[in-house]
Amino acid sequence: MDSCKESISSSWIYPTLILCANGFFSTMKPSESFLTPYLTGPDKNLTIEEVTNQILPVWTYSYLVLLFPVFLITDYARYKPIIMLQGVSFIITWLLLLFAHGVVAMQVVEFFYGMVTATEVAYYAYIYSVVSTEHYQKATSYCRSITLVAATVAAVLGQLLVSLAHVSYFYLNAITLASLSLAFVCSFFLPMPQKSMFFHRKDGADSLQKPDKVLATVSPSEPHGCREDRDPVSVDPRPAPEQPADQPPPQNHALRVLLQLSKDLRECYSSRKLLYWSLWWALATAGFNQVVNYIQVLWDFRAPSHSSAVYNGAVEAIATFLGSATAMAVGYVKLNWDLSGELTLGIFSAMDAGSLFLMYFTNNIWACYAGYLAFKACYMLLITIATFQIAVNLSMERYALMFGFNNFVALVIQTILTVVVVDSKGLGLDISTQFLIYGSYFTVIAGIFLIRSIYIIISIKCRNTSEAGESIDH
């Protein structure tokens, strides 16, 4: 019996199943689409200005401060303890959300939610430390798909409970807390990994993959790493020295890892193509996160929840479906991305800007909903293209490194936007004017990449003309 249990635990199916259960329950939050109506309603009795300018910005600051140390500690601790830490942070967040009152208490809520989002990396990295390379594609597909399913189910369930059963937002948050508690219980059953990407490598064959293995792990909704313009980033084929997980590493091991990470970053960014795709990703992700963070406030401003029907859950469910559909559609598009990739970035970034301007100029809540759906679909389409272009020829380690660093740059940009535009200690603009700023921000992004694409097209035409002239001379 013991050997049977051991064989099940050591296979790829058991950890994938437990991780999927954890991912489902931690994403199944039916109250999340109704956070702003809950905070501004009779339960918490906060004003729109307090929520916008004093409470929500704390999440951005907390996330920024915690991201880099958590990224390193996650690898050093081998993922499972960080997944459990995320579960604890989730439970603290929703306990405070249910029973605490006042601006300061809600700021503490946002701090712990920053811890939640900073520790998300452990969920996506865990599977690569316990599953063999031949099962990466299936395991990754299951783990990412289950979160999309859970987000859709949560949004639909929340909308049905609010609209049809007239369940209060308080009990909706209680249901969320129960789901998050189940996710925390699931995390106890995850096997403890014996290796990690950077600090606890077992051997070179597992840790340094060939490019085709990396492609199998690319997600349609998350950024990774790419092909070089000049010289491809070479991966050292020599096996890394074995470092048993149960023995303490040498004192200078952590320093060597950090130096290697910085060297890898310099080599990756020496590619002009990788640099431009990463630039778009950091800029656009910062703007996207800012919009998603404050969209409920705009909806509540256009149609106050205390006097209007709230359809936030239905809109989020449709947005998730459209985002998934556009991400999948990219796989069937045959284009020369080297030639037309940046033009595509410019065009769809302009469409994002148009969607945000629509949300600013209209007072109709349905137009706001439509603008948000278009905005999210365009972003998910572009982030999928950027993901592939950045990840196409990098090893697993460099893929993870680029993901973490680009995310950090995006968060720095988002923090600057928050400090200047949102925070009451900065400009403290009203929510409508904020979306005018975000529309202008995406207009600048579109302009950068449209100009860049025109430059590329002109350069190619000049090169072709020059080559044609040389062939005639010969």
Side-chain angles (χ1 to χ4, degrees):
M1 180 66 72
D2 290 339
S3 61
C4 179
K5 287 182 178 178
E6 185 177 344
S7 64
I8 292 174
S9 297
S10 61
S11 74
W12 71 277
I13 298 175
Y14 175 78
T16 302
L17 182 64
I18 298 299
L19 192 65
C20 284
N22 173 271
F24 178 85
F25 288 118
S26 63
T27 311
M28 228 288 290
K29 304 187 288 289
S31 64
E32 195 167 44
S33 299
F34 302 93
L35 176 62
T36 298
Y38 174 66
L39 293 177
T40 58
D43 291 290
K44 300 302 175 185
N45 203 28
L46 298 167
T47 66
I48 284 285
E49 290 74 20
E50 288 173 332
V51 172
T52 306
N53 304 124
Q54 297 181 45
I55 295 172
L56 293 181
V58 175
W59 170 80
T60 305
Y61 306 148
S62 170
Y63 190 12
L64 177 65
V65 170
L66 295 171
L67 179 63
F68 183 71
V70 167
F71 179 79
L72 295 178
I73 294 171
T74 295
D75 189 89
Y76 189 81
R78 286 176 285 152
Y79 313 119
K80 179 179 176 178
I82 307 304
I83 294 176
M84 298 179 71
L85 174 62
Q86 184 188 48
V88 172
S89 301
F90 260 134
I91 291 172
I92 293 174
T93 298
W94 255 265
L95 281 173
L96 290 171
L97 200 56
L98 280 167
F99 302 112
H101 296 273
V103 171
V104 175
M106 294 304 103
Q107 288 174 332
V108 175
V109 166
E110 292 298 317
F111 171 82
F112 278 102
Y113 199 68
M115 176 69 79
V116 167
T117 47
T119 53
E120 277 180 355
V121 64
Y123 175 82
Y124 293 107
Y126 173 88
I127 202 66
Y128 303 118
S129 64
V130 295
V131 172
S132 57
T133 54
E134 63 265 26
H135 295 122
Y136 277 172
Q137 187 169 6
K138 280 186 178 179
T140 303
S141 174
Y142 295 152
C143 290
R144 297 190 188 282
S145 298
I146 199 69
T147 58
L148 292 173
V149 170
T152 305
V153 170
V156 172
L157 176 63
Q159 188 64 62
L160 291 175
L161 289 175
V162 168
S163 297
L164 300 182
H166 304 292
V167 173
S168 71
Y169 297 134
F170 179 88
Y171 289 109
L172 213 57
N173 279 291
I175 294 171
T176 296
L177 177 61
S179 178
L180 296 174
S181 300
L182 288 174
F184 180 59
V185 171
C186 288
S187 68
F188 281 93
F189 296 95
L190 289 169
M192 185 66 183
Q194 298 304 306
K195 63 178 182 177
S196 65
M197 287 187 187
F198 304 114
F199 289 99
H200 303 283
R201 293 181 180 178
K202 292 286 282 186
D203 56 61
D206 244 3
S207 62
L208 294 177
Q209 298 181 51
K210 297 296 183 184
D212 58 328
K213 297 293 185 186
V214 179
L215 281 176
T217 69
V218 173
S219 157
S221 62
E222 282 203 359
H224 314 309
C226 162
R227 175 183 308 161
E228 296 291 350
D229 279 350
R230 299 186 295 274
D231 299 313
V233 175
S234 58
V235 177
D236 187 355
R238 294 172 296 176
E242 186 167 336
Q243 179 66 48
D246 55 348
Q247 294 182 12
Q251 288 185 342
N252 62 346
H253 177 63
L255 179 60
R256 288 204 309 270
V257 170
L258 292 175
L259 290 174
Q260 183 61 45
L261 293 181
S262 64
K263 179 183 176 183
D264 286 349
L265 274 178
R266 288 195 303 270
E267 290 182 3
C268 289
Y269 281 117
S270 66
S271 163
R272 186 174 299 175
K273 177 181 175 182
L274 179 57
L275 181 62
Y276 278 107
W277 282 97
S278 296
L279 174 64
W280 176 87
W281 183 49
L283 290 171
T285 299
F288 175 79
N289 288 340
Q290 196 74 351
V291 169
V292 170
N293 204 28
Y294 293 93
I295 189 64
Q296 287 188 35
V297 181
L298 180 70
W299 291 341
D300 204 74
F301 177 75
R302 296 292 184 224
S305 53
H306 60 81
S307 59
S308 307
V310 179
Y311 297 102
N312 296 7
V315 174
E316 287 292 356
I318 296 171
T320 302
F321 174 78
L322 286 177
S324 302
T326 54
M328 290 180 62
V330 171
Y332 298 94
V333 176
K334 304 298 181 183
L335 279 178
N336 181 354
W337 295 112
D338 290 336
L339 179 62
S340 57
E342 293 182 34
L343 178 62
T344 304
L345 292 179
I347 292 173
F348 281 93
S349 293
M351 292 176 64
D352 272 338
S355 300
L356 293 169
F357 284 133
L358 172 64
M359 287 187 264
Y360 167 71
F361 285 110
T362 185
N363 289 319
N364 187 292
I365 186 61
W366 295 103
C368 277
Y369 286 152
Y372 176 70
L373 294 177
F375 173 81
K376 192 167 185 177
C378 288
Y379 172 82
M380 294 306 296
L381 174 73
L382 293 180
I383 201 65
T384 305
I385 299 169
T387 291
F388 177 79
Q389 290 300 306
I390 294 174
V392 69
N393 264 348
L394 292 187
S395 68
M396 181 66 68
E397 288 84 0
R398 289 188 174 184
Y399 141 70
L401 181 61
M402 294 303 297
F403 170 79
F405 188 77
N406 284 345
N407 200 34
F408 179 75
V409 174
L411 194 51
V412 170
I413 298 170
Q414 185 184 353
T415 301
I416 294 171
L417 281 172
T418 302
V419 170
V420 175
V421 176
V422 182
D423 200 304
S424 57
K425 295 179 181 177
L427 295 177
L429 299 176
D430 64 88
I431 189 62
S432 180
T433 308
Q434 286 181 36
F435 274 74
L436 175 62
I437 301 296
Y438 303 149
S440 304
Y441 175 82
F442 271 90
T443 300
V444 172
I445 297 175
I448 291 171
F449 287 92
L450 286 173
I451 292 171
R452 167 78 180 158
S453 64
I454 292 171
Y455 170 77
I456 291 174
I457 293 171
I458 292 174
S459 298
I460 292 174
K461 285 186 177 180
C462 290
R463 189 187 312 149
N464 292 340
T465 302
S466 176
E467 290 174 356
E470 288 177 4
S471 63
I472 290 174
D473 291 339
H474 288 301

